[in-house]
Amino acid sequence: MLFQLWENDLADCITLMAVRAGGKSHFLQNDLMPWLEKQGWRTQYFSCSQVPSKFLELRLRETLTDFAMNEHWLSHQLQNLMRKNPAKESASSMAALFAQLHTQKKPVALLIDDADLLLQKERGIVLLEEIFHAMPPHGQFIKVIFTCQQRHHAAYPSLLAQHSACLSLPEMGDGYIDHLLNLYKQLTQNIGKSSAMSDNYAGITWGQIDRASIMPAFEKLQRSPAAMRAMIEELVLDPVKSLPEVLARQLQRQQQVSIAALGWEDLARLDRLLLLGIAEGRQQFYELKYRLWLAEQTGSPEISASQIQSSFKKMQRNRVIAQLANQWQIIDPQLSKLLRRNPP
C-alpha cells in the first residue's frame, strides 16, 4: 500500500500509525530503510523519542541540515548558502534544505519516528508545517514518512491527517510469533540436539520454547513486538532462566520504561494521587470529601476543583492520560498495574 501511494503519485507524505511498542521503529529501521537503500534511495532516520523534549525541534533541524549538506561539518553553512543565493533569500530554511536535497542524484526518503511528540510543542508544529509547505515542488524526488502512536482508536492528529496519507500498521500477531520462534529454533536446535549435552546443561531451556508456551507471554506483554523480541533474545542468551523468570523480568522493564517516559520525578504529588485514583477506577474527582483528602495527602491548605482540572489537562498534554466516554484512563496499562501495587 505504501509503495502504491508513491508509485501512483497519490501521496508524498505518509503517516504510519500503530499502538505503543507496536513495531513502528523496527519496521522503519529494519525493513523499510534497507529496502529503500537497495532500490537506490538516500535515507535519513530521526527518532523524536530519543531526543530531550526541549531540544527536539533543534535536533531535527540539525539532522536534516546535515543530511542535506551531505557533510556534518558543513551544517553551519546553511545560512551562508541562503544568503549567497538571492532566489532563496525569502524562502524558509526547510525550503532551502529540500532544494538542496533535490539537486542530489538519488531520490530521498526522510523517516521521522514518533512525530506526535512534535505536535506537543508549538515550535515542533511550526517545523512540521514548514516541511509540508516545502514538499510540493520536490515530491517527485523527496518522500517523508512519519510514525505516530495510535491510542484507543483515536483519530489521526489533524495536522498529519490534513497533509499526509494516514495508514495503520497491521498488528503483529501470530505471524510475528512464528517468525521469532523460527529464529529461536535456528539458534538453539543444534545445541539442543548435541550429543555433548550432559549434566552440565541441566536446567538449560534451549529448544524448549514453543507456540503454546509463548502466546500467553505475548498477551501479558500487551502484544508488544519489541518486548517479545527482547524476551526471545534473553531466552537464547540466558538459557538458565525459565520462561516465567524471563517474562517477569521483561514485565518489570516495561513498567520501568513507563515511569521513565513520564518524567515521574517531575510530576507533582497531586498528579500522582490523581493517577492512582484513575488506576483504582474512581469516577468522582471534584467532590469535597476527596479534595479534602488530597489536601491532607499533599500538605496543602486546600485543593480546588480548578487545580485538579489543571493537573488533568497537563497529564493529557503529556500523553499520560486520555478521556474516553467522559472517563479518564491511563494510556499505558502497565503503569496502571504498577500504581495499584505501589501507591505514590
Side-chain angles (χ1 to χ4, degrees):
M1 174 67 76
L2 186 151
F3 302 115
Q4 288 176 352
L5 291 173
W6 283 358
E7 291 169 1
N8 296 324
D9 293 325
L10 297 176
D12 299 319
C13 295
I14 295 173
T15 298
L16 300 177
M17 304 284 286
V19 296
R20 179 181 177 274
K24 303 183 297 295
S25 301
H26 186 274
F27 171 70
L28 290 187
Q29 296 179 82
N30 297 92
D31 297 315
L32 184 57
M33 284 181 64
W35 187 89
L36 287 171
E37 288 167 359
K38 276 187 179 180
Q39 306 302 312
W41 289 65
R42 287 187 68 214
T43 64
Q44 177 62 54
Y45 172 83
F46 180 86
S47 174
C48 296
S49 63
Q50 300 301 312
V51 178
S53 176
K54 63 181 178 179
F55 299 124
L56 178 54
E57 182 265 351
L58 175 62
R59 294 291 177 262
L60 178 53
R61 284 187 184 274
E62 289 177 348
T63 298
L64 295 180
T65 300
D66 292 340
F67 182 59
M69 302 304 292
N70 225 1
E71 293 284 351
H72 180 77
W73 61 273
L74 280 175
S75 63
H76 66 281
Q77 297 293 333
L78 177 62
Q79 295 302 322
N80 291 335
L81 170 70
M82 293 173 63
R83 282 195 292 269
K84 291 177 182 177
N85 190 337
K88 294 191 179 68
E89 282 183 358
S90 61
S92 72
S93 60
M94 196 56 58
L97 289 176
F98 276 42
Q100 177 71 16
L101 287 169
H102 189 161
T103 62
Q104 299 172 18
K105 295 181 179 180
K106 293 183 178 181
V108 172
L110 304 175
L111 314 177
I112 302 177
D113 205 359
D114 295 310
D116 43 336
L117 295 177
L118 283 165
L119 295 170
Q120 298 178 19
K121 300 168 64 65
E122 183 177 351
R123 293 178 65 188
I125 294 174
V126 170
L127 177 54
L128 283 175
E129 290 173 339
E130 284 186 43
I131 290 174
F132 289 131
H133 292 154
M135 279 298 297
H138 312 291
Q140 184 178 353
F141 305 93
I142 302 173
K143 309 294 184 184
V144 182
I145 295 182
F146 305 97
T147 71
C148 283
Q149 188 177 143
Q150 181 176 334
R151 299 177 188 83
H152 305 297
H153 308 289
Y156 296 113
S158 58
L159 181 63
L160 297 176
Q162 182 180 356
H163 294 284
S164 68
C166 294
L167 306 173
S168 293
L169 280 179
E171 182 180 325
M172 293 187 180
D174 293 356
Y176 183 68
I177 292 297
D178 291 337
H179 169 68
L180 289 180
L181 285 173
N182 286 334
L183 291 176
Y184 172 80
K185 290 175 182 177
Q186 291 174 21
L187 292 168
T188 63
Q189 64 182 353
N190 292 334
I191 300 172
K193 295 178 180 178
S194 171
S195 58
M197 293 286 281
S198 65
D199 292 341
N200 292 330
Y201 290 87
I204 297 295
T205 59
W206 277 324
Q208 299 177 26
I209 306 302
D210 56 21
R211 175 188 271 268
S213 61
I214 212 70
M215 284 304 292
F218 189 40
E219 295 296 334
K220 289 182 179 179
L221 290 169
Q222 305 295 320
R223 301 182 71 85
S224 164
M228 197 65 210
R229 183 181 183 90
M231 194 176 80
I232 293 293
E233 289 174 349
E234 191 165 353
L235 286 167
V236 173
L237 296 173
D238 194 0
V240 176
K241 299 294 183 184
S242 67
L243 178 58
E245 288 177 296
V246 175
L247 173 60
R249 191 185 306 180
Q250 192 60 38
L251 286 169
Q252 184 179 22
R253 286 192 188 126
Q254 277 191 331
Q255 293 163 356
Q256 290 170 345
V257 168
S258 298
I259 294 297
L262 289 174
W264 185 252
E265 295 304 323
D266 294 328
L267 286 178
R269 173 74 172 166
L270 176 60
D271 301 334
R272 301 185 192 189
L273 291 169
L274 291 173
L275 281 176
L276 177 61
I278 295 172
E280 293 176 339
R282 170 174 283 275
Q283 301 294 322
Q284 300 296 326
F285 291 93
Y286 299 100
E287 58 188 11
L288 179 59
K289 183 177 179 181
Y290 183 61
R291 288 191 286 115
L292 289 173
W293 179 80
L294 289 174
E296 180 184 353
Q297 295 297 315
T298 57
S300 304
E302 65 174 347
I303 294 294
S304 66
S306 62
Q307 284 177 282
I308 295 174
Q309 190 174 32
S310 296
S311 178
F312 281 147
K313 287 182 177 179
K314 178 182 70 175
M315 292 191 287
Q316 187 178 31
R317 286 195 306 271
N318 291 328
R319 305 188 310 158
V320 180
I321 59 177
Q323 193 170 30
L324 298 173
N326 295 320
Q327 181 178 348
W328 290 110
Q329 295 186 17
I330 296 175
I331 290 173
D332 189 337
Q334 294 298 331
L335 177 58
S336 293
K337 294 178 183 178
L338 184 64
L339 284 169
R340 288 194 294 269
R341 285 200 297 269
N342 303 285

